Structures are given as structure tokens and as C-alpha cells.
């Protein structure tokens, strides 16, 4: 009787312990799932930071979602996919090594991408953008249709307000000296950063002295719908053209292929890739085009003439006044700015666009001194609200 009583007590004890373990296990599982629900899914983002909320949720995530491995470290031998940057991405671009940047830009080309096409606005500037308030008005309300990249002097560290479209848009830059190959190095650096975003389909190079001549919608449609790129490229028989050719460039670059043009180009994605990928012609220019030969005036015009002349319109869409001659164009100051001047540039020329004659030949203009900002802002409603 006593023995049977002990057996009954022992059975009840074991049953109670088993029930307790089951209840405790269920509670623990609920806790882990609840705690992990807000932190597991972010780990599916390859660029999210490591989890810190709980060691239990970290374990649950790593063992529950083995099909989504974490992003490999930068020095990993595993293939790396560069992050896609867009106009709403305020993270600073972090790739400062030109070779690595070029490799990443090349790798993004192999990915499939069919988003809404964007225009990449690439600013080559010594420091700040004094005409930024005018550009702010130009970009306003068109988020998702543009990207901005700024190459400045490495010593320039100032940032615009966080509300500005130019906030955190500087790329890792290197010193640029006028008249040297470093100008083209900066242009290629801008192109490489812009190519990382597969949505960018058109790429326009601008300076801090440039202004828009039309509103964003007009500029966007003009570029996106164009069947050609816009690079000034012509055979200049004068000493400032053919006279700059160095015979040491032959036979890679011949005098017959030698061209001159404005450095302020606009290209489509395929041409941007060709410029960035070129390793045959650029070393020749870098080594043999030295002052009074200026690489930024000859490299891209000559390269396009050799490789893809059929895709180029042979004209620039950035207007500048060279009528006074000399090594630099006319600079406009406050007293020069008027709607008459702007309309003359906007409508006073004839050119070809997609096979048809048009008076809309220039979308941008330079060189505008910082003192022109106030009158330009005063004219902005008429300048940026009209369609033509």
C-alpha cells in the first residue's frame, strides 16, 4: 500500500514537471518570436547594421533565415554588390579608391534594373555652390527623377542644411588643377559614382557657375527622350586645335581623329560606360596632352569621335560666351542679368534635336558670378515656370 502510494506521488511529480517544461518552453518561444519580429526582418537588408536588441533575437534570426546570409565584409573574397544610391540617400559616398570605385561601377552594369529613369546632375566645383538656391527651386517637387553628385576640393568640408537637396551629395574627391589631367580624373570619378545607381540614364556635367535655363520637366524630357548625347566635338584647324596635337600620341590617336570641344558634356548611360571603361586612349592623353594642350577640352571629344561618333550630336547643351576670346569665357555679374539675356540664349539659336530643327539648343548656361543669385532668384518664376 505504501509502495503504491509512493509510485502515485512520483508519477504526479513527473507529470507536473513535464507540464511545467512544456509551458515554460511555449512561453520562451513566444518571447523569442516576439522579440525577434522587429529585428529579424531588418537583417534581410544586406546593408543594415548588426543587431543589438537581444542576443536571443540575434540567434533566432541567424538560424531561422539561413537563406539570407549577412553582407560580406569589405575585404571578403566573396562577390560584393555595391549599394544603389538614389536622390533620397543622404549617406556620404564612401569609396575613395579610384580603382575600387571603377570596379564597383562596372559590376553594377551587369545587374537588371528597370526603375523610373533618372538624370544624374554632376557638379564639378572648387567649394560651395553659390547658386544653390536657384537650383533648389529647379529640383523642387521632382524627387525620384534626379540624382546629384558633387566633386569639390578635398579641403572643403562644409555641408548645406539637412533640408537641402545638396546635403551629403559630395563624393570622395581629390585635388583638381586647372589645365591638367586631374580635371578629367574628377569627371570620371563623378561618372563612376553616378553609374552605381542603375536608374541614372543621363549624365550631365555642370560647374558651380552654371544655371538652368528651363524648368526641370522641360530639361528632364529633353534629355530622357533624346536619341543622342551632347558633346561638343569638332576639328579645329587653328593652333588652339590641331596645333595642340602631340605626335607622340600616334598611332593610337591620329591627327585625323583629333577633336576639340567643351568639357561640359551630357551623355547617355552607354557612352558614360565607354568613357569610364577606356584604358586605351586615356593614358595617351594623360601622358602627352600637357599645356598648352588641355585634356578636358580634347579627351572626351576625341574619344567619342573614335568610338561612337554616331551617338553624338556634336554640340554642347551648356551655353557660354567665348566672343571676347582668351583662355576663359565671359563671366556674367549682377548688372548683366536680365530676362532678355536669358531668352536670347533660350530661343536665339537653331540646332537639330532627334532629326528636327529646334530653337531649344541650350538647357544650361555659364559662367554666372555669385553676385547674380539675387536677380536670378527674382527672375526664377518666369524662368522656371515656363515650358519654353
Amino acid at each position: 500500500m505504501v509502495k503504491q502510494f509512493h509510485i502515485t506521488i512520483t508519477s504526479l511529480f513527473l507529470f507536473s514537471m513535464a507540464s511545467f517544461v512544456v509551458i515554460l518552453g511555449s512561453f520562451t518561444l513566444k518571447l523569442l518570436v516576439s522579440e525577434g519580429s522587429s529585428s529579424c526582418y531588418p537583417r534581410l537588408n544586406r546593408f543594415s547594421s548588426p543587431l543589438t536588441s537581444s542576443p536571443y533575437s540575434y540567434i533566432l534570426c541567424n538560424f531561422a533565415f539561413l537563406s539570407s546570409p549577412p553582407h560580406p565584409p569589405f575585404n571578403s573574397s566573396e562577390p560584393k554588390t555595391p549599394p544603389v544610391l538614389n536622390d533620397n540617400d543622404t549617406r556620404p559616398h564612401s569609396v575613395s579608391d579610384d580603382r575600387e570605385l571603377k570596379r564597383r561601377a562596372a559590376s553594377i552594369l551587369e545587374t537588371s534594373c528597370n526603375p523610373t529613369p533618372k538624370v544624374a546632375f554632376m557638379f564639378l566645383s572648387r567649394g560651395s555652390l553659390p547658386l544653390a538656391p536657384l537650383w533648389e527651386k529647379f529640383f523642387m517637387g521632382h524627387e525620384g527623377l534626379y540624382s546629384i553628385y558633387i566633386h569639390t576640393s578635398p579641403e572643403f568640408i562644409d555641408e548645406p542644411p539637412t533640408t537641402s537637396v545638396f546635403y551629403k551629395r559630395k563624393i570622395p574627391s581629390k585635388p583638381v588643377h586647372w589645365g591638367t589631367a586631374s580635371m578629367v580624373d574628377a569627371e570620371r570619378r563623378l561618372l563612376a559614382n553616378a553609374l552605381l545607381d542603375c536608374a541614372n540614364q543621363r549624365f550631365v556635367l555642370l560647374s558651380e557657375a552654371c544655371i538652368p535655363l528651363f524648368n526641370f520637366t522641360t530639361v528632364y524630357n529633353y534629355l530622357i527622350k533624346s536619341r543622342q548625347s551632347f558633346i561638343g566635338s569638332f576639328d579645329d584647324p587653328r593652333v588652339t586645335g590641331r596645333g595642340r596635337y602631340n605626335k607622340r600620341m600616334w598611332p593610337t590617336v591620329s591627327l585625323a581623329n583629333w577633336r576639340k570641344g567643351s568639357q561640359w558634356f551630357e551623355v547617355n548611360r552607354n557612352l558614360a560606360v565607354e568613357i569610364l571603361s577606356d584604358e586605351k586612349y586615356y593614358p595617351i592623353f594623360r601622358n602627352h596632352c600637357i599645356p598648352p594642350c588641355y585634356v578636358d577640352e580634347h579627351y572626351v571629344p576625341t574619344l567619342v569621335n573614335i568610338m561612337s561618333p554616331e551617338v553624338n550630336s556634336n554640340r554642347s547643351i551648356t551655353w557660354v560666351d567665348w566672343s571676347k576670346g582668351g583662355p576663359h569665357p565671359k563671366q556674367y555679374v549682377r548688372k548683366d542679368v536680365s530676362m532678355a539675356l536669358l531668352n536670347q540664349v533660350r530661343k536665339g539659336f537653331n540646332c537639330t534635336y532627334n532629326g528636327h530643327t529646334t530653337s531649344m539648343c541650350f538647357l544650361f548656361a555659364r559662367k554666372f558670378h555669385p553676385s547674380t543669385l539675387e536677380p536670378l532668384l527674382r527672375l526664377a518664376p518666369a524662368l522656371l515656370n515656363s515650358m519654353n
Side-chain angles (χ1 to χ4, degrees):
M1 189 72 169
V2 173
K3 182 177 180 180
Q4 186 176 2
F5 175 78
H6 281 296
I7 292 173
T8 302
I9 293 298
T10 301
S11 299
L12 290 173
F13 175 78
L14 292 175
F15 178 79
S16 299
M17 289 297 295
S19 299
F20 176 78
V21 170
V22 171
I23 294 172
L24 179 61
S26 299
F27 175 81
T28 303
L29 181 59
K30 285 184 178 181
L31 177 63
L32 290 176
V33 172
S34 172
E35 191 172 37
S37 62
S38 62
S39 54
C40 283
Y41 293 102
R43 279 198 65 80
L44 295 177
N45 181 345
R46 291 166 60 83
F47 304 104
S48 61
S49 58
L51 301 177
T52 56
S53 58
S54 166
Y56 298 108
S57 60
Y58 180 85
I59 293 172
L60 181 63
C61 289
N62 279 275
F63 285 93
F65 301 106
L66 291 178
S67 60
S68 294
H71 182 59
F74 182 78
N75 59 356
S76 169
S77 60
E78 297 180 30
K80 309 179 198 65
T81 301
V84 175
L85 303 174
N86 55 56
D87 56 294
N88 294 319
D89 189 349
T90 57
R91 296 173 298 172
H93 308 302
S94 59
V95 184
S96 58
D97 181 80
D98 286 350
R99 290 180 179 270
E100 173 65 12
L101 176 62
K102 182 178 178 180
R103 187 193 67 79
R104 293 195 183 191
S107 68
I108 202 70
L109 304 177
E110 301 174 359
T111 64
S112 58
C113 183
N114 294 298
T116 300
K118 295 193 294 185
V119 176
F121 291 84
M122 308 179 301
F123 289 86
L124 182 56
S125 172
R126 287 166 292 186
S128 63
L129 300 177
L131 303 177
L134 178 66
W135 284 101
E136 296 273 4
K137 291 182 178 294
F138 172 79
F139 289 118
M140 186 181 300
H142 300 285
E143 294 76 11
L145 298 178
Y146 65 86
S147 300
I148 296 173
Y149 305 87
I150 307 173
H151 189 294
T152 66
S153 171
E155 292 78 24
F156 182 75
I157 59 174
D158 292 351
E159 279 288 347
T162 57
T163 55
S164 171
V165 296
F166 297 105
Y167 178 70
K168 294 292 186 182
R169 301 316 303 165
K170 292 199 297 287
I171 67 170
S173 305
K174 295 183 180 180
V176 174
H177 303 286
W178 183 81
T180 69
S182 62
M183 295 280 284
V184 176
D185 290 335
E187 295 172 9
R188 284 158 62 98
R189 205 170 290 126
L190 282 163
L191 281 174
N193 275 275
L195 282 168
L196 289 177
D197 187 341
C198 60
N200 289 329
Q201 296 299 312
R202 308 292 302 204
F203 304 77
V204 55
L205 182 67
L206 301 161
S207 77
E208 74 269 25
C210 285
I211 65 168
L213 293 172
F214 297 91
N215 63 33
F216 181 89
T217 301
T218 301
V219 171
Y220 177 86
N221 288 334
Y222 193 101
L223 297 180
I224 293 296
K225 295 178 181 179
S226 174
R227 298 195 295 265
Q228 293 184 308
S229 294
F230 299 96
I231 304 165
S233 178
F234 61 97
D235 180 13
D236 184 354
R238 299 173 301 172
V239 67
T240 54
R242 292 184 195 173
R244 295 175 176 177
Y245 176 75
N246 188 334
K247 293 181 180 179
R248 293 182 179 179
M249 294 181 170
W250 191 86
T252 306
V253 178
S254 68
L255 180 59
N257 290 325
W258 185 251
R259 293 295 184 271
K260 180 181 179 180
S262 169
Q263 79 172 108
W264 309 106
F265 61 75
E266 191 282 336
V267 296
N268 62 25
R269 189 172 184 89
N270 290 337
L271 201 49
V273 172
E274 289 190 16
I275 294 171
L276 181 65
S277 303
D278 169 42
E279 295 181 353
K280 178 180 180 180
Y281 300 100
Y282 185 51
I284 301 296
F285 279 84
R286 185 177 55 227
N287 295 335
H288 301 300
C289 181
I290 56 178
C293 178
Y294 302 103
V295 184
D296 56 286
E297 293 184 5
H298 294 280
Y299 168 63
V300 173
T302 302
L303 177 69
V304 174
N305 179 59
I306 295 173
M307 300 184 68
S308 304
E310 71 285 351
V311 303
N312 185 26
S313 65
N314 287 328
R315 64 183 178 91
S316 173
I317 52 172
T318 299
W319 181 82
V320 68
D321 184 357
W322 286 100
S323 62
K324 291 188 174 182
H328 300 287
K330 173 182 172 61
Q331 182 179 58
Y332 290 94
V333 295
R334 180 189 179 98
K335 65 180 179 61
D336 298 321
V337 176
S338 67
M339 202 63 209
L341 168 67
L342 300 177
N343 280 334
Q344 181 183 2
V345 180
R346 283 154 49 103
K347 304 175 183 179
F349 300 88
N350 288 318
C351 58
T352 301
Y353 173 81
N354 285 349
H356 300 283
T357 301
T358 179
S359 62
M360 187 185 295
C361 302
F362 300 102
L363 304 182
F364 312 97
R366 62 184 300 269
K367 300 176 57 169
F368 284 78
H369 187 269
S371 65
T372 62
L373 178 60
E374 191 276 330
L376 286 170
L377 287 177
R378 191 170 62 248
L379 297 174
L383 184 69
L384 302 181
N385 290 338
S386 61
M387 294 300 293
N388 50 53

